[in-house]
Amino acid sequence: MIVTRKIEFDMGHRVPNHKSKCRNPHGHRYVAEVGVDDKVINEKGASDEGMVIDFSDLKEIMMNKIDGVCDHAFMISRDDIDMINCFFHSENDISTLNLIDEEIRQYGYAHAFGAQRNSDKDWKTIIVPFIPTAENIAWWIYVRMEHALKEKDIKLKYVRIWETPNCSAIYSGEDKKIITTLGGGVSLA
């Protein structure tokens, strides 16, 4: 049985090499849809009897793994030096880049709170080791959700990210050879 839950969050990004206007900093009202595929719980008297997962439990995980990280943040590719320069002192600030790289190695992304100690700005940024397209964001959220759901013994089926009302990307676990899960984070193999 597949059950789904959606949440919405606001996040900025840019696609630095894009041939058109998406190369400019901009934002979206993203919709994240998570589908889980598992057996219906038949344990008599259990709070979640008759369910695959309680929708409120799924929402809580999504709020923690998606909304808590992404809402009202700006996602930047680690290789987008122009945006790194906008948010931090400079690409030549080795201590800032070292903090960013260490957080990416540890968690799969840098929330940049540590890196912002070297900045006079207190902006919520997410620095990732990929270009923040809908496709890559769907993959990144899938890995974060998969880890959290495994702890509850629930199988993740897919993550769908709506970037606009007409455009979305779905990641369903294919190409796992490029993914290495490290704790709650990810790295590219």
Side-chain angles (χ1 to χ4, degrees), residues 1-4 34-41 48 51-55 57-58 61 142-158 176:
M1 168 86 53
I2 298 172
V3 297
T4 66
V34 171
V36 298
D37 182 9
D38 221 314
K39 294 180 180 157
V40 173
I41 296 164
D48 50 4
M51 304 174 193
V52 171
I53 186 173
D54 189 308
F55 286 121
D57 292 342
L58 183 55
I61 296 168
Y142 182 97
V143 175
R144 293 176 57 72
M145 289 297 300
E146 183 180 45
H147 179 74
L149 288 166
K150 274 185 182 175
E151 291 177 354
K152 292 195 170 288
D153 204 27
I154 300 289
K155 188 175 90 177
L156 179 60
K157 180 74 171 174
Y158 70 89
K176 285 196 177 203

Side-chain angles (χ1 to χ4, degrees), residues 47-158:
S47 173
D48 50 4
E49 181 180 2
M51 304 174 193
V52 171
I53 186 173
D54 189 308
F55 286 121
S56 64
D57 292 342
L58 183 55
K59 178 184 178 184
E60 182 179 337
I61 296 168
M62 293 172 72
M63 294 302 287
N64 179 277
K65 295 295 181 182
I66 304 169
D67 184 85
V69 175
C70 298
D71 190 47
H72 285 81
F74 197 91
M75 186 175 276
I76 305 168
S77 169
R78 165 57 181 86
D79 295 330
D80 189 349
I81 296 304
D82 290 334
M83 291 309 299
I84 297 287
N85 284 337
C86 286
F87 282 89
F88 306 100
H89 285 307
S90 130
E91 86 249 21
N92 297 321
D93 184 346
I94 298 302
S95 62
T96 296
L97 292 180
N98 287 342
L99 284 169
I100 290 168
D101 290 341
E102 179 56 34
E103 287 186 32
I104 288 173
R105 273 191 296 279
Q106 187 172 357
Y107 304 110
Y109 69 101
H111 222 154
F113 295 132
Q116 285 177 341
R117 285 189 292 247
N118 294 333
S119 172
D120 57 354
K121 299 168 186 73
D122 188 24
W123 295 338
K124 187 176 178 183
T125 54
I126 308 164
I127 303 166
V128 291
F130 52 81
I131 302 295
T133 60
E135 295 88 342
N136 286 333
I137 295 168
W139 163 80
W140 182 71
I141 290 173
Y142 182 97
V143 175
R144 293 176 57 72
M145 289 297 300
E146 183 180 45
H147 179 74
L149 288 166
K150 274 185 182 175
E151 291 177 354
K152 292 195 170 288
D153 204 27
I154 300 289
K155 188 175 90 177
L156 179 60
K157 180 74 171 174
Y158 70 89

